[in-house]
Amino acid sequence: MTTSSTTILLVEDNEDDVFIMKRALKKAGIVLPLQVVTDGQQALDYLGGKNGFADRSQFPLPGFVFLDLKLPNIHGFDVLAWIREHGLLESMRVIVLSSSAETKDVEKALSFGAHAYVVKPPEPTQLISLIKNS
Amino acid sequence: MQPLANAKIETAQESDLLLRSLETAVMAIHTVSADGTILWANAAELLLLGYDRAEYIGRSIVDFHVDRAAIGELLQRIIRGEKIRDHEAQLKCRDGTVKTVLIDSSGAYREGQFWHTLCFTRDITGRKMADVQLRQQASEASGHAQLYQASQTELTAQKHATEALLESQARFQAFLDNSAAVIYAKDLDGKYLFINGWYEKLFGVKSADLLGKTDFDFFPKEQAEIFRENDLHVIRTGKSLEVEEIARKGAVRLTFLSIKFPLHRSDGTIYASAGISTDITTRIQGEEASRRLAALVESSDDAIIGKDLNGIITSWNKGAERIFGYKAQEMIGTTIMRLIPTERSDEETAILSRIRRGERIEHYETVRRRKNGSLVEIALTVSPIKDVQGRIVGASKIGRDITDRRRLENEQRAVYELLTTVNRTTNLRAIFEESLKCICTCQRVDRASILISDSRGILRFEAWRGLSDTYRAAVEGHSPWARDDPAPAPIFVEDIDKARFDDALKAVVVAEGIGALAFLPLVYEKRLLGKFMICHEKPHIFVNSEIRLLQTIALQLAFAVERHRTSEALELLVDERTSSLREAVAQMEEFSYTVSHDLRAPLRAMRSYSQALLEDFAPTLPEEAAHYLHRISENASRLDKMILDVLTFSRIARAELYLEIIPLETFVRNIIENYPTLQAPLAEIRLQPLLPVLGHEPSLTQAISNLLNNAVKFVPPGVMPKIRIWTEKRGPDVRLWIEDNGIGIKPEYQHRLFSMFERINPTSRYEGTGVGLAIVRKALERMGGRAGMESDGFNGSRFWIQLKGIERESAAS
C-alpha cells in the first residue's frame, strides 16, 4: 500500500546513478520522499535504525528499497539477505538495480527474494509501473 | 683284335695265355647256355660260392639264385641282346650262406647265333673279401697254370689243336669284348699288346689305336708313371698285384680296382704284364657316402636308435648315449620300453602299430626316462626301416632333447608376458609381480626381489619372493653402487663362499641359504632407479645369454618405474595447471562482472547528462550544440552495446553447455515473435517445416536471433526484407538455412565475416558492433556444430548453421 509518505530508500554509491534515479522519478512524477545511502553498511544501519539512523521520524522505514548490487563494504546481495533474514520483505518492496543484464545475476537476485530487477538506467515508465502498481 | 683268318700260332698262344689268366682272374666269371645250364666258371667264381667244379658246372644257374624267377627273367633279357650292368642278386653258397653280388652280363655270339652268356660276378659283401680271395688266388695261381698247360698238351695230342685254338680264340673274343672291365696286356716296355673294347667305352679311344703305344701317350705323365710303376712291380716280382688306380682323361676321372699279373712264356720267363681293371668309382662313392652317413649318425647330437618291430633296440648312437645315459652295449638287444616312463607305456605300442602301417611319425613331443631316473623332454621322429624286399622290419627313431628348447620357450613366454604387462598397465605392483615371475622363470630360482630408490636415494624393498624379514631388514640400504653412478654395472656373485665382502653382511646372506647372487641395476637415462636381486641356492655361473636376458628385464623394469614416476609428476603438473586455470576462469568472470557493472556506469552517466541537457535546456541550446549532444549520447549507446555484445560473446565462450533436443520450428517461431523487426509489415519471413537438432538453448537463441536480425538489417534502403528459412539433412547433421534478399557479401570479404569486430559495411549505413557473427560462430563451435554462408555479393546471402540431428527423425522419415 503506497501512501504519500511512503519513503523510498535508494542504496547507491555512484552519484551519477543517484542523479539518473532522481531524474527518472521526477520524470515519472513520483514525489515520494527519497532517502539515499551510499554503501551497504549505511543501508544496514538505516534499516536497523543504528548509527545516526535511529530517529524513525527523520529516517522512516522505507516502503521501497532500490538496491544497487555493486556496493562498497557490504555487497548488495548481503544487504538483500539481511533484509530477508530480518523478515522485512513483507513490509517493503526491494528492487535490485544493476548494470548487468546477465540472466545469472537476475536469477540470483530473485532467488534472494528481490521483488524486481531493473537494469540501469531505470526508465520513468518502469518506475511508474513498479511503484504505482504495487 | 686280329681277324681269325690270320690266326698264327703266336696269336693262339697269346689267346691261350689270356684264357688261363681269366681262369685265374680275381673276378668271378661264368658262362651260361640259353637253357640256363652253367657251361663254364672260373676259379674265382667257384671260390666265391664254395662249390667244386663238378658241383657247379652243368647245373642250372637258377638253382644257385635265391630269387629264381628273377634270374630266369634276366637270362631272357640277355638272350634278347640286352647288356646287364650291376644287377644285384643273392647267391646261395655251398655252406648255406647267401652272398650279395653285382652281376654284369651279356651274350656271346657265334656266327650270329646266341651262344652263351658271359657273366662277371662281383661280391659286394665287402672289399675285404676280395683281399682274401686275392691272397688265395695268388697261392693257387701256379697250380692252375700247370693244370691248363696239361690240358693244352692233351688237346695238342688229340690233334684238334687248330679247332681248339679257334674256339678258344672266339671265346676269348667274346669274353674280352663283353667284359665290363678293362682287360689288357703290355709288353716289358709298357707297349700295349692287347686291350679289350671296354677301354674304348670308357675313354673313347679305339683299342686298335692303342696297340704299340704306352700309357704315356694317353694319360697325364704322373698317372702314366704310376701305371708303369705298378706294371714294373708285377714284372720284377713275378707276382700279381691288386691296386687302386685312378685314371683321368679329360673330364673323366675313374677309380679302378686293378688286378695286375705277369704273363709267362712256356719257359717261365715273363714277357708281358696283364691286368683287369674294374671301374669301382660308383662303389667308392657309395662307400664314401655310407661312411659319411655312419659318421653323421655317430656324431649327431640327436639320439638315433634302430629297433625292430618288437621294440628291441638294434642300434644306439653316441647321441642316444649322451641324452639317455646308457651305453650302446647296455641297450642293444634290450627293449626300448626301458626308456619309457610307466604312465606313457601305451605310446610305444601306438608308435609301433603306426610304423607297421608304414607311417612316419614326425616331431612327436614326449618325455623319456634317463638311466639316472630323471626325465627328459624329447621330440621324436620315427620312420619305418624296410628290407630289400620292401617289408617293414623295424624303425629308426631320432630323438631330440628339447629340454633346452622348452626352457627357452618358457623364458621367452615369461619375457613376453612381462612386456605385455609393462605395456598394458601402469600399475607398478602388477609389473613388479610379473617381473619377479619372469626373473624366477628365467633363472630357475624361487627367490628374487625388486628394490626401488626412495626420495633420499636409498634402495628399498618393493617386491620380493621367498626372502625372510630378517634378511630384508639386514640388507636394505646396502647398495653396490654409488647413488649418482651414471653407469652402474650388474654384479654377479657366483659363489658366496669365495666372494669377498663385508663379513656381517656375508653371514646374513649365508644364513639365508644363498649360494650365489646377482644384482641388476635399473637405470634410466643414467639415473639409478633401483635394482633387482636374484638368489640362487647353490653357486651359479651366470653365462652371457642369461645376463643378456636379465638386462632386458632390467630395461623393461626401469622403463616402467620411470614411466610411473613421470606420470605421477605429470598428474601433479596437471593438477597445478587445472587449479591455475580455474583461477584464471574465476578472474575472467570477475573481470566480466566488473566490465558489465563498472564500465557501463560512466556511459550511462554520459548518456543521461546529454539527455538532461537536451531536455532541460532545449530552448537556449544552439542547434549545433544539440547535435553534438546527440552524437555524444549515440556514441555512449554504441559503446554500451559493444560492451554488452562482448559480454555475450565471453558468456557463450565459457558457459557450461548441455545439449538437448530442440524442436527448431517452434523455437525459431518464438524468436521471431520476440522481435517486431522480424514481423510484418517490417519483414516477411517464410518458414518451412524444420527438422529438430541437438543444441544448447540459450546459445542457439543467441545465434539464430543474431542471424535473423542481420538478415533484415542489411537490405538496400526502401527494400522490404524477405527471408526464407529451411532445414536440410546432411548425414547425421541438420543444416538450418537463412536466406535473405539483402545486399550480399562479396566473396573476397567472406572469410573475415565471422571474426570479432569485423565489419564489412561502414558504420554509418548499417548499425552494428561487429561481434554478432563472432558470437554465432562461437556458439556453434561450443555446441559441436559449424556456421557458414554463401553469397555472390549481389543477390542476398544464405547463412547456415549446422548441428547434430535427431536419429529418430531420420528413421521416421
Side-chain angles (χ1 to χ4, degrees):
Chain A
M1 193 66 187
T2 309
T3 65
S4 59
S5 63
T6 304
T7 301
I8 297 172
L9 175 64
L10 174 63
V11 189
E12 175 61 80
D13 62 316
N14 183 324
E15 53 183 303
D16 293 325
D17 280 341
V18 173
F19 168 78
I20 291 167
M21 184 64 181
K22 281 180 175 167
R23 200 176 153 76
L25 285 170
K26 196 170 112 190
K27 284 174 90 174
I30 295 166
V31 291
L32 300 177
L34 178 74
Q35 293 283 350
V36 178
V37 290
T38 57
D39 68 35
Q41 187 56 54
Q42 279 187 45
L44 296 190
D45 287 348
Y46 184 103
L47 293 170
K50 288 182 194 160
N51 297 332
F53 294 107
D55 183 1
R56 284 287 178 226
S57 60
Q58 198 184 341
F59 306 110
L61 272 177
F64 299 95
V65 179
F66 283 88
L67 180 64
D68 183 23
L69 285 179
K70 204 156 180 286
L71 291 168
N73 301 330
I74 295 172
H75 195 274
F77 279 127
D78 295 326
V79 176
L80 184 56
W82 189 93
I83 294 172
R84 189 168 65 172
E85 278 164 26
H86 288 74
L88 297 173
L89 286 175
E90 299 291 312
S91 57
M92 56 185 73
R93 294 187 69 78
V94 181
I95 299 118
V96 168
L97 275 174
S98 172
S99 296
S100 165
E102 302 236 358
T103 322
K104 196 175 70 181
D105 293 331
V106 179
E107 282 172 359
K108 189 174 176 187
L110 296 181
S111 74
F112 266 65
H115 293 97
Y117 188 99
V118 171
V119 177
K120 291 179 185 179
E123 295 296 329
T125 48
Q126 279 179 304
L127 297 181
I128 291 165
S129 70
L130 282 169
I131 289 170
K132 295 209 169 150
N133 298 343
S134 63
Chain B
M1 285 277 84
Q2 294 176 14
L4 286 178
N6 296 340
K8 294 281 187 309
I9 292 300
E10 198 174 329
T11 317
Q13 189 186 17
E14 216 166 85
S15 300
D16 180 49
L17 282 166
L18 275 168
L19 176 64
R20 275 160 47 200
S21 305
L22 277 187
E23 182 59 42
T24 60
V26 85
M27 184 173 285
I29 309 170
H30 70 255
T31 63
V32 168
S33 69
D35 65 2
T37 308
I38 300 166
L39 298 174
W40 175 82
N42 72 350
E45 177 138 341
L46 294 171
L47 184 70
L48 173 67
L49 302 175
Y51 296 102
D52 287 343
R53 200 168 295 274
E55 288 172 323
Y56 196 62
I57 293 170
R59 288 188 55 189
S60 173
I61 190 71
V62 176
D63 295 339
F64 299 94
H65 278 261
V66 171
D67 192 340
R68 297 167 67 93
I71 194 64
E73 189 249 351
L74 190 70
L75 184 60
Q76 292 312 310
R77 282 165 58 194
I78 298 165
I79 292 167
R80 283 198 301 271
E82 212 175 304
K83 282 192 167 62
I84 306 297
R85 182 105 168 94
D86 291 341
H87 174 83
E88 193 176 318
Q90 284 176 300
L91 297 178
K92 297 176 192 166
C93 298
R94 191 171 190 272
D95 64 4
T97 61
V98 168
K99 282 211 162 95
T100 305
V101 297
L102 290 179
I103 296 172
D104 296 336
S105 187
S106 54
Y109 297 84
R110 189 166 54 179
E111 290 157 16
Q113 292 291 309
F114 178 81
W115 185 14
H116 57 70
T117 67
L118 179 60
C119 301
F120 291 79
T121 303
R122 280 171 288 146
D123 180 12
I124 54 169
T125 313
R127 290 179 68 187
K128 207 168 180 154
M129 195 60 168
D131 206 40
V132 172
Q133 273 179 283
L134 176 72
R135 266 184 262 117
Q136 285 188 316
Q137 195 76 43
S139 67
E140 287 170 11
S142 54
H144 284 296
Q146 279 157 20
L147 183 73
Y148 274 77
Q149 185 65 47
S151 148
Q152 179 61 34
T153 314
E154 192 186 331
L155 283 171
T156 313
Q158 288 170 350
K159 301 186 194 305
H160 294 308
T162 313
E163 289 84 355
L165 273 174
L166 279 175
E167 187 163 324
S168 165
Q169 175 104 17
R171 182 187 288 170
F172 259 115
Q173 190 66 45
F175 270 144
L176 297 170
D177 286 346
N178 292 290
S179 170
V182 183
I183 303 172
Y184 49 87
K186 301 173 201 170
D187 70 11
L188 298 179
D189 297 327
K191 287 185 185 133
Y192 278 94
L193 294 172
F194 163 80
I195 190 148
N196 74 340
W198 200 254
Y199 182 89
E200 183 180 333
K201 234 178 172 163
L202 291 181
F203 296 107
V205 179
K206 283 214 160 44
S207 309
D209 296 343
L210 267 125
L211 298 179
K213 301 217 167 84
T214 72
D215 287 325
F216 289 90
D217 297 315
F218 298 97
F219 292 104
K221 187 163 168 276
E222 323 82 68
Q223 274 181 44
E225 275 170 354
I226 293 168
F227 296 156
R228 179 67 181 148
E229 182 55 42
N230 292 337
D231 293 343
L232 284 173
H233 179 83
V234 167
I235 294 163
R236 272 201 305 273
T237 61
K239 287 180 180 163
S240 61
L241 171 72
E242 181 189 330
V243 67
E244 269 182 29
E245 290 179 324
I246 291 167
R248 192 178 290 135
K249 188 131 181 94
V252 187
R253 183 188 188 278
L254 298 172
T255 305
F256 289 94
L257 177 62
S258 297
I259 315 293
K260 297 201 167 186
F261 48 89
L263 294 180
H264 300 265
R265 290 202 185 82
S266 41
D267 63 2
T269 57
I270 292 167
Y271 74 95
S273 69
I276 301 173
S277 296
T278 313
D279 176 7
I280 56 166
T281 313
T282 323
R283 204 175 84 201
I284 294 265
Q285 283 166 352
E287 278 171 7
E288 186 81 354
S290 308
R291 256 200 308 281
R292 253 186 252 134
L293 199 63
L296 217 59
V297 167
E298 208 42 40
S299 65
S300 171
D301 277 347
D302 294 338
I304 303 177
I305 303 167
K307 59 181 180 184
D308 66 15
L309 289 178
N310 298 313
I312 301 300
I313 295 164
T314 55
S315 69
W316 184 266
N317 76 337
K318 283 259 158 50
E321 236 177 80
R322 200 180 50 75
I323 293 176
F324 299 109
Y326 292 103
K327 297 262 183 234
Q329 59 266 31
E330 289 178 86
M331 290 307 282
I332 292 175
T334 71
T335 174
I336 193 87
M337 296 304 283
R338 288 171 75 184
L339 300 177
I340 300 172
T342 331
E343 67 276 13
R344 288 179 184 264
S345 55
D346 290 349
E347 268 180 20
E348 185 61 16
T349 322
I351 289 173
L352 284 175
S353 76
R354 286 178 64 184
I355 287 297
R356 280 195 199 94
R357 290 198 298 270
E359 287 175 35
R360 184 178 148 91
I361 295 146
E362 284 188 72
H363 308 299
Y364 180 81
E365 294 190 359
T366 183
V367 176
R368 291 292 178 258
R369 194 177 293 284
R370 294 195 182 93
K371 188 179 183 182
N372 67 11
S374 62
L375 295 176
V376 53
E377 289 182 79
I378 58 168
L380 288 180
T381 297
V382 191
S383 329
I385 297 176
K386 297 176 181 175
D387 68 3
V388 191
Q389 275 76 34
R391 287 177 309 216
I392 294 161
V393 294
S396 81
K397 193 171 199 169
I398 302 175
R400 172 159 298 180
D401 185 347
I402 54 169
T403 314
D404 284 351
R405 200 186 79 197
R406 275 269 183 277
R407 223 185 80 191
L408 264 175
E409 280 171 1
N410 286 342
E411 287 178 9
Q412 277 171 358
R413 193 175 311 120
V415 172
Y416 173 78
E417 273 165 19
L418 174 60
L419 295 186
T420 315
T421 307
V422 167
N423 284 321
R424 202 187 47 222
T425 178
T426 53
N427 180 343
L428 269 189
R429 286 286 124 217
I431 292 171
F432 286 161
E433 276 315 308
E434 198 62 46
S435 300
L436 286 177
K437 202 174 108 191
C438 185
I439 294 163
C440 290
T441 304
C442 292
Q443 282 285 295
R444 292 176 309 290
V445 296
D446 43 21
R447 285 180 294 177
S449 59
I450 297 170
L451 294 89
I452 300 298
S453 176
D454 69 8
S455 56
R456 289 184 297 147
I458 296 168
L459 298 178
R460 302 282 184 201
F461 277 91
E462 286 290 337
W464 61 89
R465 271 189 185 192
L467 292 171
S468 71
D469 293 349
T470 324
Y471 176 78
R472 281 187 285 110
V475 302
E476 189 167 85
H478 290 276
S479 170
W481 309 285
R483 277 169 211 180
D484 54 354
D485 189 341
I491 288 166
F492 300 98
V493 183
E494 299 187 330
D495 188 346
I496 292 292
D497 283 345
K498 290 178 190 150
R500 280 195 294 163
F501 58 95
D502 183 85
D503 281 344
L505 209 56
K506 189 166 171 172
V508 173
V509 173
V510 171
E512 188 73 6
I514 294 169
L517 270 173
F519 304 96
L520 274 290
L522 307 180
V523 182
Y524 193 89
E525 287 180 348
K526 298 184 178 171
R527 279 174 297 118
L528 180 64
L529 305 180
K531 68 171 175 183
F532 69 76
M533 272 197 314
I534 299 153
C535 307
H536 282 268
E537 205 174 314
K538 293 180 179 141
H540 180 86
I541 309 284
F542 295 88
V543 299
N544 280 341
S545 57
E546 286 178 73
I547 294 172
R548 273 198 297 277
L549 201 58
L550 293 175
Q551 283 174 329
T552 303
I553 299 169
L555 210 65
Q556 289 300 322
L557 203 43
F559 167 73
V561 170
E562 174 65 16
R563 186 184 56 186
H564 190 258
R565 289 199 174 169
T566 313
S567 80
E568 272 186 339
L570 194 66
E571 268 169 37
L572 209 66
L573 192 68
V574 167
D575 284 350
E576 274 172 22
R577 289 274 162 84
T578 308
S579 77
S580 80
L581 203 62
R582 268 203 203 101
E583 208 171 301
V585 168
Q587 279 172 358
M588 182 68 197
E589 278 178 354
E590 199 180 311
F591 172 75
S592 312
Y593 189 80
T594 307
V595 168
S596 55
H597 290 88
D598 298 354
L599 240 54
R600 297 184 68 198
L603 291 173
R604 204 158 54 234
M606 282 162 67
R607 217 154 46 112
S608 297
Y609 287 116
S610 309
Q611 216 58 42
L613 266 178
L614 283 167
E615 285 168 17
D616 297 354
F617 300 95
T620 54
L621 267 183
E623 198 182 329
E624 217 176 352
H627 175 66
Y628 291 164
L629 284 169
H630 273 296
R631 295 305 293 264
I632 290 170
S633 179
E634 277 167 16
N635 275 293
S637 293
R638 218 173 94 67
L639 184 52
D640 192 44
K641 197 162 169 2
M642 280 169 80
I643 289 170
L644 283 176
D645 278 354
V646 172
L647 283 172
T648 303
F649 182 86
S650 84
R651 192 182 62 234
I652 280 178
R654 65 198 152 76
E656 264 184 49
L657 286 188
Y658 45 91
L659 300 184
E660 55 188 331
I661 298 171
I662 295 179
L664 216 45
E665 203 170 321
T666 49
F667 187 77
V668 172
R669 236 179 258 289
N670 286 339
I671 291 172
I672 294 168
E673 276 167 18
N674 279 332
Y675 292 89
T677 47
L678 298 179
Q679 297 160 20
L682 296 177
E684 181 189 311
I685 296 187
R686 276 199 298 144
L687 196 61
Q688 291 176 359
L690 303 177
L691 294 166
V693 292
L694 267 182
H696 175 236
E697 198 186 306
S699 301
L700 194 56
T701 307
Q702 192 76 50
I704 294 176
S705 57
N706 281 10
L707 288 175
L708 288 175
N709 281 309
N710 276 356
V712 297
K713 187 159 69 182
F714 296 100
V715 284
V719 171
M720 155 87 147
K722 285 183 179 168
I723 295 164
R724 192 163 72 89
I725 302 172
W726 73 97
T727 52
E728 173 195 7
K729 192 119 189 72
R730 287 176 86 94
D733 292 354
V734 168
R735 185 175 277 195
L736 173 76
W737 286 93
I738 297 172
E739 183 187 71
D740 63 43
N741 61 338
I743 55 175
I745 296 148
K746 289 194 175 64
E748 59 263 39
Y749 299 135
Q750 289 172 10
H751 68 281
R752 287 164 45 194
L753 211 54
F754 289 91
S755 303
M756 184 84 102
F757 298 122
E758 282 292 352
R759 288 177 51 83
I760 308 301
N761 299 293
T763 320
S764 52
R765 203 176 301 159
Y766 298 101
E767 189 191 320
T769 60
V771 184
L773 286 177
I775 290 172
V776 171
R777 191 174 70 172
K778 181 56 78 181
L780 266 297
E781 266 175 21
R782 294 292 320 273
M783 291 185 284
R786 292 190 297 137
M789 65 88 60
E790 290 172 1
S791 175
D792 60 4
F794 303 103
N795 305 308
S797 306
R798 282 151 44 122
F799 280 82
W800 56 263
I801 57 172
Q802 191 169 319
L803 285 164
K804 279 264 169 295
I806 313 299
E807 276 317 305
R808 180 171 47 85
E809 280 304 305
S810 69
S813 64

